[in-house]
Amino acid sequence: MQWKQLGCDQIFWSVSKMMRGRRGRSLSDIVNDAVAYYLREQQRAKLDREISAYESMHSDLWRKFPKEWVAIHERRVADHDPDRGLLYRRIRETYGLLPILIRQVEEFPAREIWLRTPSTGAIS
């Protein structure tokens, strides 16, 4: 297996970046942190791809599974169920801890969220 397949070039880049601010940390701790960071970034990227797939498939999903929960894996519907808990259990039994997007199919692909934040009083 090649280093590139494992993403080791990115891990080594992370390690070298973290080594600059080492300050009493062992190399083992720095490598572990770099690998954990790399894996989190890979999971985040996978979920971003699944969200994009969900949005592009939304009209078909709404037609086939309105108000149901769907699991998206590798840009395809892996499973669906009206009960989120049952779907989650099946997905975990099948895929373990792999990041799988589970989302309820609503009328619109993205929900608009409004957050109230305290004013800083600053005027831009």
Side-chain angles (χ1 to χ4, degrees), residues 80-94:
H80 64 94
D81 199 296
D83 186 309
R84 180 177 62 174
L86 292 175
L87 175 62
Y88 179 83
R89 282 191 284 282
R90 282 198 311 270
I91 290 298
R92 289 298 148 234
E93 286 172 8
T94 305

Side-chain angles (χ1 to χ4, degrees), residues 36-104:
Y37 173 80
Y38 171 76
L39 292 174
R40 276 193 309 274
E41 290 302 309
Q42 292 302 302
Q43 290 175 341
R44 211 172 269 136
K46 181 185 184 306
L47 285 177
D48 286 344
R49 289 189 302 272
E50 306 306 8
I51 290 168
S52 174
Y54 170 84
E55 289 171 350
S56 66
M57 297 186 290
H58 181 266
S59 59
D60 290 336
L61 294 173
W62 178 248
R63 191 171 44 258
K64 294 176 185 175
F65 315 114
K67 299 290 182 185
E68 284 193 37
W69 292 87
V70 294
I72 308 293
H73 175 58
E74 296 184 358
R75 304 184 64 81
R76 305 167 102 189
V77 176
D79 199 353
H80 64 94
D81 199 296
D83 186 309
R84 180 177 62 174
L86 292 175
L87 175 62
Y88 179 83
R89 282 191 284 282
R90 282 198 311 270
I91 290 298
R92 289 298 148 234
E93 286 172 8
T94 305
Y95 298 101
L97 295 177
L98 277 176
I100 308 288
L101 179 69
I102 296 177
R103 188 175 274 187
Q104 188 173 30

